[in-house]
């Protein structure tokens, strides 16, 4: 069941589906190009992480949350939100909500999570 985040707009918080991955990778590449003008990477890396939840306004995906495993083997949740739709502390609330929701359904398994990241990145690179 989607969680609605009420503030400036009616945003829905939903799990990511396979059919969302094209829009998710587009958001990732758009953000990466904006942050790094020399960004010319055509393939995803482990930095892409494993997408878990999306922020939706109407039929438009405006952001998504994901996890990565850092060099200290810690699980790190992050989010990418289209800047046109980001307001207040939306990113922090989205990250915290994603983390709570994800861990309420699964036990942390760093090795399995790292494997999931590698598998989805490899699969997305192969399918592009």
């Amino acid at each position: 069941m989607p969680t609605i985040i009420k503030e400036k707009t009616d945003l829905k918080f939903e799990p990511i589906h396979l059919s969302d991955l094209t829009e998710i990778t587009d958001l990732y590449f758009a953000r990466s190009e904006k942050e790094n003008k020399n960004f010319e990477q055509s393939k995803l890396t482990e930095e892409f992480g494993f997408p878990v939840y999306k922020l939706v306004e109407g039929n438009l995906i405006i952001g998504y949350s994901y996890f990565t495993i850092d060099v200290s083997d810690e699980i790190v949740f992050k989010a990418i939100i289209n800047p046109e739709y980001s307001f207040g502390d939306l990113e922090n609330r989205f990250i915290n909500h994603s983390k709570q929701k994800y861990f309420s359904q699964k036990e942390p398994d760093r090795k399995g999570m790292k494997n999931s990241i590698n598998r989805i990145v490899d699969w997305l690179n192969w399918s592009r």
Side-chain angles (χ1 to χ4, degrees):
M1 180 174 189
T3 301
I4 298 181
I5 300 173
K6 293 262 188 199
E7 228 168 79
K8 285 186 178 179
T9 59
D10 289 327
L11 300 178
K12 292 184 283 179
F13 173 88
E14 300 175 342
I16 290 178
H17 301 286
L18 193 58
S19 59
D20 300 323
L21 290 175
T22 299
E23 286 182 74
I24 298 295
T25 56
D26 290 347
L27 277 171
Y28 172 79
F29 282 124
R31 194 268 335 242
S32 297
E33 289 172 3
K34 188 173 231 174
E35 287 181 356
N36 182 359
K37 299 297 182 198
N38 297 326
F39 183 82
E40 293 182 31
Q41 188 172 357
S42 60
K43 291 194 177 248
L44 297 170
T45 64
E46 286 182 8
E47 241 180 64
F48 176 73
F50 190 90
V52 285
Y53 294 103
K54 62 186 174 183
L55 274 176
V56 179
E57 184 177 58
N59 291 329
L60 182 64
I61 297 174
I62 61 164
Y64 70 96
S65 63
Y66 61 101
F67 62 79
T68 61
I69 308 293
D70 69 11
V71 294
S72 304
D73 223 24
E74 293 297 317
I75 302 165
V76 180
F77 277 78
K78 298 178 183 179
I80 293 177
I81 301 174
N82 184 328
E84 296 174 26
Y85 295 89
S86 188
F87 50 87
D89 67 342
L90 178 62
E91 185 175 339
N92 288 332
R93 290 187 303 132
F94 184 36
I95 290 169
N96 289 334
H97 191 71
S98 297
K99 189 184 309 184
Q100 290 172 349
K101 186 101 168 151
Y102 186 82
F103 287 135
S104 72
Q105 298 170 356
K106 300 182 185 319
E107 286 293 318
D109 170 16
R110 287 168 178 75
K111 186 176 179 183
M113 293 170 84
K114 196 170 199 169
N115 188 36
S116 295
I117 293 168
N118 291 327
R119 291 177 70 191
I120 193 145
V121 166
D122 288 346
W123 182 75
L124 287 169
N125 283 329
W126 177 81
S127 64
R128 289 179 50 120

